[in-house]
Amino acid sequence: MKVGRKKLMLNFPTLITTIFSLIIILSFLPQNVNAKPPPNPVQCNGKVCTLKNGYGVWGDRRDCTSPSISYPTTEEELRLAVANANRNKLKVKVVTKFSHTIPKLACPSSKTNQTTLISTERYNSHIEIDTKNMVVTVDAGVSLRDLTNKVEGAALSLVAAPYWEGVTVGGLISTGAHGSSWWGKGGAVHDHVVGISLVVPGKESEGFAKVLWLEGNDPLFKAAKVSLGVLGVISKVKLSLEPAFKRSITYDFTKDDDIEQIYVNHAKKFEFGDITWYPSKYTAVYRYDNRVDINTSGDGINDFLGFQSQSVLVSMATRSTEKAFENSKDEKGKCTMATTFMAYKQTIANGLKNNKLIFTNYPVIGTQANIQASGSCLYSSPLRLDLTCGWDPRIKGLSFYETTAIFPATKFGDFIKDVKKLRDLITPQKLCGIDIYNGFLVRYIKASDAYLGQHEDSVVVDFNYYRGDDPNIPRLNQDVLEEIEQIAFFKYGAKPHWAKNRKLAFLGVPKKFPNWNKFVEVKKQVDPQGMFSSEWSDEVLYGENRENGDGCALEGLCICSEDKHCSPSKGYFCKPGFLYSNARVCRFSQGEILSSNLDLGVIS
């Protein structure tokens, strides 16, 4: 007797419910149960050192390598490392212990093996607080969390910091990291910097390297405040502080009807306000966030959901579910995920906790150090192999792109209107892929005198979306996301965040910065031989595009101009945008697959 075997079918609604339930259960586990720490970004095998970013894969999926690496612990050791490289005519790149920059700014040249890496991982012991003048001077390798904890221990606060605390002081200064504020000096950390110690190449008579102290109106200081690592090695940073304060936060989940009218007043009313927009759900989440007196009752923390330790099983299941929806082109399934995750975020206030354990009610009040930045998945016991950061490259967990565009404040409302028009034109379901992650996160940066900072008050929008395991496989509704990306960077001239984005975002970037030529002149002055440059950083810095091979548009390495830049064999062809006709995107077209395959001789 033969026993028939039924084909196993995934019940996706049940799977999503299971994932959701697991997340809820895990969120109530004791908070001292942490994950295994992220892997070190540099791995050496005795012959070569390989550098990866915190996500385990670069934009072009090509590894970065160098024959050697040094780990200075003092400024003099740092100077000697630069001097040795200069004496031996080596190309140099600086790396940190976190390496969360998405573009390949830290990658040495691949055209020569005459390169070396300098890591600031062990250059992290010095934090000197001057309480009288309310400044702090720190080594470049000091982590943001160590800095903020030490500062608040002295009854002071660092006003600006990014939301993710897995960064070093030198790294966040180099790439223009920011929080959200138009108040005071603004939300960008570099605008709170009052001095920088920079190690640059020197003449033989200067010992092949020298230390420059930069401050005030010095053009070198204005260049070094956002240096991209191409001027030299940041050694020490002096930051301004303020008397310690607390923050009071409430999230308001509401309709998205008036974002384009409200966003300016929202920034003026709330010192640290931001907006999260879920376009497929017609929902906006307004963050009401102001400082309060340090004596105000409240011991809350911001343990942002996306930065918490995650169960490896949940991360893998979430990834597998989204991947299955991608492969089956199931928009409805993705929208179910987006609805479920958004509801959960609302339930737990996206990770805010009133008493460091759970969320009970608004407002959540806590110290600046505990509210501004988060990243609890970083502080981990290597013994807990079942928990980790959700994007840990050692598991088959989350993998995503992060697009971050910085708009002049006056143009951002028109961008919102265009995305709404596009949503209505194509149906909102095609935007669910963004809402699975964190929708559009809207933040604020004040005008800066840094040459590569923002020259006017600006609005920043971040959005994450699925990245496949195989670069040759197109993504569901990728044409819509590409059109939004091109509307931002090319229709409205938004600037790219230096530490994020796909390569196409940097096309034509020099024209977007009024002080671009001043920055280049400083680079020629302090690094005339280009010791701190590589073809990778030049692509970002000069906005060049050297990619035009088959499939280059699938991962944002180019903008398609021919069908071959997409994937004709899989039904993706280069087409104009739905709303922005100048956009060129890779769009799925079932009807064209047959004719394309006939042209290629695939079908006889």
Side-chain angles (χ1 to χ4, degrees):
M1 179 179 177
K2 293 184 178 180
V3 179
R5 291 185 299 173
K6 292 183 179 180
K7 186 177 180 181
L8 179 62
M9 299 294 291
L10 281 174
N11 185 325
F12 288 117
T14 300
L15 181 55
I16 292 172
T17 301
T18 302
I19 294 171
F20 184 46
S21 300
L22 281 170
I23 293 173
I24 292 175
I25 292 169
L26 289 168
S27 70
F28 288 100
L29 288 175
Q31 292 306 298
N32 60 349
V33 177
N34 288 315
K36 58 182 177 180
N40 193 297
V42 180
Q43 300 292 329
C44 301
N45 61 12
K47 296 181 180 179
V48 67
C49 295
T50 300
L51 169 67
K52 296 184 178 181
N53 61 22
Y55 307 100
V57 59
W58 297 104
D60 59 7
R61 298 183 187 260
R62 301 167 193 158
D63 283 342
C64 299
T65 60
S66 181
S68 63
I69 186 170
S70 58
Y71 292 89
T73 61
T74 66
E75 185 169 78
E76 177 58 15
E77 289 181 5
L78 183 59
R79 190 195 68 79
L80 290 173
V82 174
N84 180 67
N86 190 19
R87 182 185 297 109
N88 291 286
K89 301 187 184 305
L90 302 178
K91 291 277 193 176
V92 178
K93 283 295 180 181
V94 182
V95 298
T96 73
K97 70 175 183 179
F98 294 116
S99 189
H100 268 277
T101 297
I102 294 173
K104 302 177 85 168
L105 290 171
C107 289
S109 176
S110 64
K111 297 179 179 179
T112 174
N113 63 358
Q114 296 296 104
T115 69
T116 190
L117 297 171
I118 297 176
S119 173
T120 61
E121 181 177 355
R122 300 171 192 169
Y123 185 39
N124 62 351
S125 61
H126 183 79
I127 303 177
E128 181 183 346
I129 299 174
D130 180 347
T131 54
K132 180 180 179 180
N133 294 303
M134 289 199 293
V135 293
V136 59
T137 304
V138 299
D139 292 342
V142 169
S143 72
L144 176 59
R145 175 51 58 190
D146 287 345
L147 171 61
T148 55
N149 285 348
K150 188 71 175 287
V151 163
E152 296 224 338
L156 297 168
S157 288
L158 178 67
V159 176
Y163 286 12
W164 164 246
E165 64 185 57
V167 291
T168 63
V169 173
L172 66 88
I173 295 301
S174 297
T175 55
H178 61 88
S180 181
S181 185
W182 276 349
W183 292 34
K185 295 180 179 180
V189 184
H190 57 263
D191 290 321
H192 297 256
V193 174
V194 295
I196 294 175
S197 175
L198 186 70
V199 182
V200 299
K203 301 175 183 177
E204 183 176 359
S205 61
E206 297 171 312
F208 291 100
K210 57 187 176 182
V211 180
L212 304 177
W213 177 254
L214 310 175
E215 60 185 349
N217 290 317
D218 187 342
L220 273 65
F221 180 50
K222 294 179 181 180
K225 286 204 285 187
V226 183
S227 68
L228 310 186
V230 301
L231 301 182
V233 186
I234 292 176
S235 174
K236 296 183 184 295
V237 178
K238 181 185 284 188
L239 292 145
S240 63
L241 304 172
E242 294 188 15
F245 60 90
K246 287 185 176 181
R247 301 252 295 270
S248 174
I249 300 181
T250 296
Y251 285 126
D252 181 14
F253 285 71
T254 187
K255 294 180 179 179
D256 69 353
D257 295 346
D258 303 313
I259 297 178
E260 59 269 36
Q261 279 83 41
I262 292 175
Y263 73 94
V264 171
N265 286 335
H266 184 70
K268 292 179 179 179
K269 186 175 181 180
F270 300 100
E271 181 175 5
F272 302 103
D274 68 28
I275 305 169
T276 302
W277 179 32
Y278 297 97
S280 75
K281 305 305 171 189
Y282 293 82
T283 298
V285 184
Y286 292 92
R287 176 168 169 158
Y288 305 148
D289 186 348
N290 275 325
R291 71 171 73 193
V292 294
D293 187 83
I294 191 65
N295 294 316
T296 304
S297 177
D299 194 24
I301 63 171
N302 175 17
D303 188 15
F304 173 64
L305 176 62
F307 300 157
Q308 292 177 15
S309 298
Q310 303 290 340
S311 162
V312 170
L313 292 178
V314 169
S315 295
M316 292 175 65
T318 301
R319 174 66 174 182
S320 295
T321 302
E322 187 178 14
K323 187 175 180 180
F325 291 148
E326 282 279 331
N327 293 339
S328 61
K329 294 183 170 56
D330 187 347
E331 291 179 356
K332 184 177 179 181
K334 280 210 164 192
C335 289
T336 301
M337 288 184 76
T339 300
T340 302
F341 293 156
M342 191 183 79
Y344 179 57
K345 291 173 186 176
Q346 184 171 5
T347 300
I348 65 163
N350 213 13
L352 292 177
K353 298 174 181 178
N354 297 82
N355 53 9
K356 297 186 178 180
L357 292 175
I358 60 172
F359 170 71
T360 57
N361 60 276
Y362 290 120
V364 175
I365 298 173
T367 64
Q368 165 70 348
N370 285 337
I371 293 294
Q372 175 60 34
S374 62
S376 58
C377 68
L378 291 167
Y379 312 109
S380 324
S381 166
L383 301 178
R384 286 303 305 265
L385 301 181
D386 57 322
L387 299 172
T388 186
C389 294
W391 58 86
D392 191 314
R394 295 167 296 187
I395 65 170
K396 294 180 180 179
L398 305 182
S399 179
F400 49 85
Y401 296 109
E402 185 166 7
T403 293
T404 304
I406 306 175
F407 295 80
T410 54
K411 293 184 178 181
F412 182 68
D414 290 332
F415 169 75
I416 291 290
K417 291 176 184 177
D418 273 2
V419 175
K420 286 184 174 182
K421 289 177 184 176
L422 181 62
R423 174 183 64 186
D424 296 339
L425 188 64
I426 61 173
T427 73
Q429 287 75 23
K430 294 186 182 298
L431 296 173
C432 287
I434 295 174
D435 292 348
I436 287 174
Y437 292 84
N438 201 42
F440 289 98
L441 174 60
V442 179
R443 292 181 286 175
Y444 304 92
I445 301 178
K446 199 170 182 178
S448 171
D449 67 352
Y451 289 160
L452 296 187
Q454 308 310 311
H455 66 279
E456 58 189 318
D457 289 354
S458 301
V459 179
V460 186
V461 62
D462 298 79
F463 58 101
N464 298 352
Y465 45 101
Y466 177 88
R467 184 180 190 184
D469 300 327
D470 185 338
N472 298 312
I473 296 179
R475 292 169 287 110
L476 176 62
N477 296 324
Q478 77 169 61
D479 60 317
V480 176
L481 300 177
E482 288 170 354
E483 184 169 353
I484 293 172
E485 192 176 30
Q486 292 178 44
I487 288 172
F489 292 115
F490 306 123
K491 181 177 180 180
Y492 291 109
K495 302 181 185 73
H497 189 300
W498 294 113
K500 303 176 184 179
N501 289 299
R502 307 191 312 163
K503 188 180 291 187
L504 71 89
F506 297 95
L507 294 175
V509 75
K511 298 177 182 178
K512 298 180 180 181
F513 287 87
N515 292 312
W516 180 263
N517 290 334
K518 293 180 181 179
F519 181 86
V520 173
E521 286 303 312
V522 169
K523 173 153 177 66
K524 291 178 180 177
Q525 179 181 343
V526 299
D527 184 24
Q529 303 303 316
M531 193 169 90
F532 289 94
S533 294
S534 72
E535 70 270 24
W536 311 115
S537 56
D538 283 351
E539 282 185 347
V540 173
L541 186 61
Y542 297 106
E544 299 173 352
N545 183 12
R546 302 189 180 106
E547 303 278 356
N548 62 358
D550 291 358
C552 63
L554 295 179
E555 293 214 297
L557 301 179
C558 73
I559 297 174
C560 72
S561 57
E562 304 176 57
D563 288 338
K564 71 174 186 177
H565 295 151
C566 299
S567 182
S569 64
K570 294 181 175 64
Y572 284 75
F573 301 87
C574 188
K575 300 291 183 181
F578 284 115
L579 180 71
Y580 178 42
S581 60
N582 287 340
R584 290 296 178 269
V585 300
C586 294
R587 181 173 299 131
F588 179 70
S589 179
Q590 181 71 48
E592 295 186 53
I593 298 178
L594 179 60
S595 60
S596 174
N597 286 339
L598 284 170
D599 291 341
L600 293 171
V602 175
I603 299 175
S604 58

